[in-house]
Amino acid sequence: MTLVLASRSPRRSDILREMGYTFVVDSADVDETPLAHESPRDHVQRLAVAKCLRVASRHGRNVVVLAADTTVEIDGDILGTPRDTDHAREMLRRLSGRTHQVHTAVCVARGTHETTVNSTHDVALDTASVTMHPIAPDALERYLATGESLDKAGAYALQGEAGVFVRELRGERSTVVGLPMPLVRRLLDRHGVAHAARGLSPDATHP
């Protein structure tokens, strides 16, 4: 059984590798524009499924595909990846001194290439709550200058330099980083994907 990670995110690769899985990467580009009136939870689940099934269509039944999507929610709004530095600044100012939710959806499916059998896919969601310290303007500008915010949902990386902005985390750290470990383990076990690690706790990964 071959495991394919449908993501080019180095953070997700790090987590999956730390969990003891052997895998290859085959990413999918999908339109991540939210649908009208789509909730943040529905949004990440839809995108995780879309990525997973697109990659599954390129592989045979001996392949299991894992895909994920992460978004930040505040005031019911979706904060995805910023368009540019100004957009990142706007997002971080909105998160400053407040609590927000981070949703990561995971989808797992068998490959469907050259088969008429529809792939049975499993999709599930995990949510963590993050409270930020008030971010001083000079600290914000220093962070933006690193460029770290430009490919991150909500314009920050918990495992990076923005970690100092976080006052409290409730939930799985790996959910905020982009791949909730207990959820991934459960879904891959269901699809018969073996891993090499033994006795590795969900909190053991700190990318």
Side-chain angles (χ1 to χ4, degrees):
M1 187 73 67
T2 300
L3 175 62
V4 172
L5 175 62
S7 172
R8 64 174 64 94
S9 164
R11 299 168 298 282
R12 292 191 176 115
S13 289
D14 287 346
I15 291 174
L16 204 54
R17 196 173 293 112
E18 287 290 336
M19 292 177 71
Y21 291 102
T22 300
F23 60 95
V24 296
V25 172
D26 183 8
S27 62
D29 291 321
V30 300
D31 183 357
E32 299 190 4
T33 305
L35 302 178
H37 310 299
E38 186 175 43
S39 73
R41 291 169 180 264
D42 289 343
H43 176 69
V44 289
Q45 291 182 91
R46 177 176 63 83
L47 291 183
V49 171
K51 293 174 183 179
C52 189
L53 296 187
R54 179 164 297 184
V55 172
S57 71
R58 303 199 287 251
H59 296 274
R61 297 289 291 176
N62 64 326
V63 167
V64 171
V65 178
L66 168 69
D69 193 75
T70 301
T71 198
V72 169
E73 176 185 1
I74 190 165
D75 301 326
D77 294 334
I78 296 169
L79 301 189
T81 304
R83 297 183 298 272
D84 51 32
T85 300
D86 287 340
H87 193 204
R89 181 182 293 107
E90 176 186 330
M91 287 185 179
L92 289 168
R93 283 175 174 169
R94 191 169 180 184
L95 298 177
S96 176
R98 301 183 61 193
T99 298
H100 62 271
Q101 286 70 50
V102 180
H103 307 294
T104 295
V106 177
C107 183
V108 175
R110 286 288 185 94
T112 61
H113 185 57
E114 296 180 349
T115 178
T116 58
V117 179
N118 292 328
S119 179
T120 299
H121 67 273
D122 290 304
V123 60
L125 177 79
D126 194 65
T127 298
S129 178
V130 179
T131 302
M132 293 281 203
H133 294 289
I135 304 173
D138 58 339
L140 174 58
E141 294 306 316
R142 283 196 300 271
Y143 180 64
L144 292 172
T146 69
E148 184 180 86
S149 65
L150 293 179
D151 65 341
K152 310 294 190 301
Y156 76 94
L158 176 67
Q159 75 279 13
E161 294 189 34
V164 298
F165 299 155
V166 175
R167 188 177 76 194
E168 182 181 17
L169 167 64
R170 293 186 179 181
E172 293 289 338
R173 177 185 173 88
S174 56
T175 296
V176 181
V177 177
L179 202 63
M181 296 174 71
L183 183 56
V184 167
R185 182 83 77 202
R186 185 167 71 249
L187 292 179
L188 291 182
D189 282 352
R190 188 179 300 168
H191 284 260
V193 179
H195 57 88
R198 292 293 182 268
L200 184 64
S201 70
D203 292 331
T205 295
H206 298 285

